[in-house]
Amino acid sequence: MGKKSIGILGATGSIGKQALEVIEEFPDRFSVEFLTAKSSVQLLVEQAKKFSPKYIVVSEEEQLDVLTAAIGDTDIKIMAGEAALCEVASLESVDLLLSAIVGFAGLKPTLAALEKGIDVALANKETLVVAGAMVMDVAKEHGAKIIPVDSEHSAIFQCLQGEAPDTVEKIILTASGGPFLDKKPNFLKNVKKDHALQHPNWDMGAKITIDSATLMNKGLEVIEARWLFGLDPEQIDVIVHPQSIIHSMVQFSDGSIKSQMGLPDMKLPIQYALGYPNRITNNFKRLDFKEYRKLKFKEPDIKTFRNLALALKALEDGGNSACVMNAANAEAVYAFLENKIGFLEMTEIIENTMEEIPFVEDASLDAFVESDREARKCALRLIKEKR
């Protein structure tokens, strides 16, 4: 396998940092073409000095002078802003783009890469949640591959290798249930962010950890899977599996089921995506079945954790519904993390925003951008009214 040139959108986040750890382990296989961050200048500078990318980008333009001063006299080109993200994402020198930006901000640069025929390792699930049909059409048109990084979608992707698409009966996405598995509304109305951030199995960023606690993360993954694997919504099931050993499954037309299993460690799907189509030998801890003698499964409680139900409705409605839901969820999560609203109020904010924002059936990229803006504005108003 030749050495791959990797560009990382969101290098200072949880996925970006773990990806760089993988790259550091295999310097003969990977090099870093560019790194980007939203505003974490100090960490971005440390990463740049260690991995010597050709470009570094900070998306908040007001941080450009700070970044320039911090990086010192080097050959690294320093850039800022959304246009700069799209510019580096579409560099011909990039063999693989790791899209690990959190939220809607990942859509445009990911599309820019796909339009140039650059393969994308996708950790930014919102890209497909917001504009799945558009993104998959662009990838197909330009011959670019989308390799999922989420553990669940990576599991499905791996299970499908060598299988004919028309033999897939359904896929089964597993969910840990988060820190509040089996809890009821009377308990949830009083939980604080410190408790919600204590995921039992995975080490993730704050946003995705809260999404996991509300089951919104699983809802987003259902929508993502619908587009990524070209399935009908009724072909996607969700099952709660608290141990997070089975990362997801595929059921085929003959009744056979394939699963991908392993210890809950995000570096495994990250490494798989970076190395695809080759598997890379590593020294990660191995799964010992003697330590997991019982694997449990149960239906998700969508009456208590209604975010999953809202996501399924957004998928059914189509158009800009998932875009609106995603934007409202982002603002609700940030408000919860700032102690502005309660845990259950996040769902209320999302549901009310989805009811208020006009439905757009055939949304263009500009329509998605406008829907995102209007939904965030609406959600922020509703959050303010809660205080």
Side-chain angles (χ1 to χ4, degrees):
M1 183 180 72
K3 198 169 187 178
K4 280 187 183 179
S5 175
I6 310 293
I8 302 180
L9 296 170
T12 60
S14 176
I15 296 295
K17 289 188 289 187
Q18 291 179 83
L20 287 172
E21 291 175 11
V22 171
I23 290 170
E24 186 177 14
E25 285 290 316
F26 302 101
D28 58 327
R29 290 178 177 269
F30 305 113
S31 63
V32 178
E33 187 71 6
F34 71 80
L35 300 170
T36 83
K38 181 180 180 182
S39 59
S40 301
V41 169
Q42 182 177 350
L43 179 54
L44 182 61
V45 169
E46 292 172 6
Q47 292 173 336
K49 290 180 177 179
K50 187 172 187 177
F51 292 94
S52 301
K54 294 178 183 177
Y55 305 85
I56 54 175
V57 182
V58 61
S59 58
E60 293 186 353
E61 295 189 28
E62 59 269 24
Q63 297 289 334
L64 180 60
D65 290 342
V66 179
L67 180 59
T68 302
I71 200 66
D73 186 18
T74 71
D75 293 331
I76 300 173
K77 185 174 181 180
I78 303 167
M79 305 165 70
E82 182 182 73
L85 292 176
C86 293
E87 182 177 341
V88 295
S90 57
L91 290 168
E92 293 184 359
S93 53
V94 173
D95 294 317
L96 180 71
L97 172 74
L98 173 60
S99 181
I101 293 179
V102 175
F104 185 82
L107 176 58
K108 285 187 177 181
T110 300
L111 280 172
L114 294 173
E115 287 170 353
K116 289 289 186 178
I118 297 169
D119 293 342
V120 172
L122 188 64
N124 170 263
K125 60 174 56 68
E126 291 85 355
T127 290
L128 290 179
V129 169
V130 170
M134 178 187 300
V135 172
M136 297 308 295
D137 285 346
V138 169
K140 183 177 180 180
E141 180 183 353
H142 296 279
K145 298 183 185 70
I146 298 179
I147 306 142
V149 172
D150 274 351
S151 62
E152 295 83 358
H153 299 94
S154 176
I156 299 299
F157 187 80
Q158 293 180 58
C159 289
L160 290 175
Q161 297 304 303
E163 301 285 355
D166 62 0
T167 65
V168 176
E169 195 166 274
K170 69 176 180 178
I171 66 172
I172 305 162
L173 299 176
T174 56
S176 70
F180 304 133
L181 179 63
D182 295 328
K183 301 299 183 184
K184 296 301 179 183
N186 284 342
F187 175 89
L188 295 173
K189 69 181 181 181
N190 296 315
V191 301
K192 303 300 181 185
K193 69 174 183 179
D194 291 343
H195 192 185
L197 288 169
Q198 295 174 14
H199 196 284
N201 301 330
W202 297 96
D203 180 14
M204 306 176 291
K207 165 65 165 56
I208 192 172
T209 302
I210 300 301
D211 281 345
S212 178
T214 66
L215 286 193
M216 176 57 84
N217 188 53
K218 205 54 49 179
L220 298 177
E221 288 176 0
V222 169
I223 299 173
E224 184 181 7
R226 180 263 182 272
W227 299 113
L228 190 60
F229 303 114
L231 301 172
D232 295 327
E234 55 269 22
Q235 289 179 282
I236 307 170
D237 282 352
V238 174
I239 192 78
V240 173
H241 168 49
Q243 294 83 15
S244 296
I245 296 300
I246 296 178
H247 299 307
S248 279
M249 298 171 269
V250 179
Q251 180 172 303
F252 295 93
S253 55
D254 62 354
S256 298
I257 295 178
K258 289 171 69 173
S259 70
Q260 188 268 330
M261 307 173 71
L263 293 171
D265 182 350
M266 276 307 301
K267 283 207 279 189
L268 182 56
I270 291 170
Q271 179 184 290
Y272 182 83
L274 295 183
Y276 180 81
N278 300 294
R279 287 193 184 272
I280 302 173
T281 302
N282 60 40
N283 59 0
F284 296 169
K285 184 179 178 181
R286 270 36 177 179
L287 172 64
D288 183 351
F289 279 99
K290 294 189 296 294
E291 297 179 11
Y292 294 89
R293 299 194 178 195
K294 290 184 179 180
L295 299 180
K296 298 181 179 180
F297 306 91
K298 63 186 303 180
E299 286 290 320
D301 179 4
I302 62 174
K303 290 184 178 179
T304 299
F305 298 91
R306 294 195 300 115
N307 279 3
L308 176 54
L310 290 177
L312 297 177
K313 183 180 185 303
L315 176 58
E316 180 182 353
D317 291 346
N320 67 335
S321 295
C323 177
V324 170
M325 179 200 69
N326 177 73
N329 176 66
E331 295 300 338
V333 170
Y334 297 141
F336 174 71
L337 289 170
E338 293 174 356
N339 300 311
K340 293 179 179 178
I341 59 174
F343 186 84
L344 294 178
E345 288 177 323
M346 287 188 281
T347 301
E348 295 176 23
I349 298 296
I350 299 163
E351 187 170 34
N352 291 338
T353 302
M354 292 174 69
E355 291 172 354
E356 286 196 30
I357 300 302
F359 177 71
V360 180
E361 185 170 2
D362 296 316
S364 63
L365 180 57
D366 287 342
F368 284 131
V369 172
E370 179 64 13
S371 293
D372 178 83
R373 187 185 71 81
E374 288 298 320
R376 289 174 188 272
K377 183 179 176 181
C378 177
L380 287 171
R381 173 176 57 77
L382 294 170
I383 289 165
K384 188 175 180 180
E385 290 173 358
K386 290 283 185 184
R387 299 182 70 185

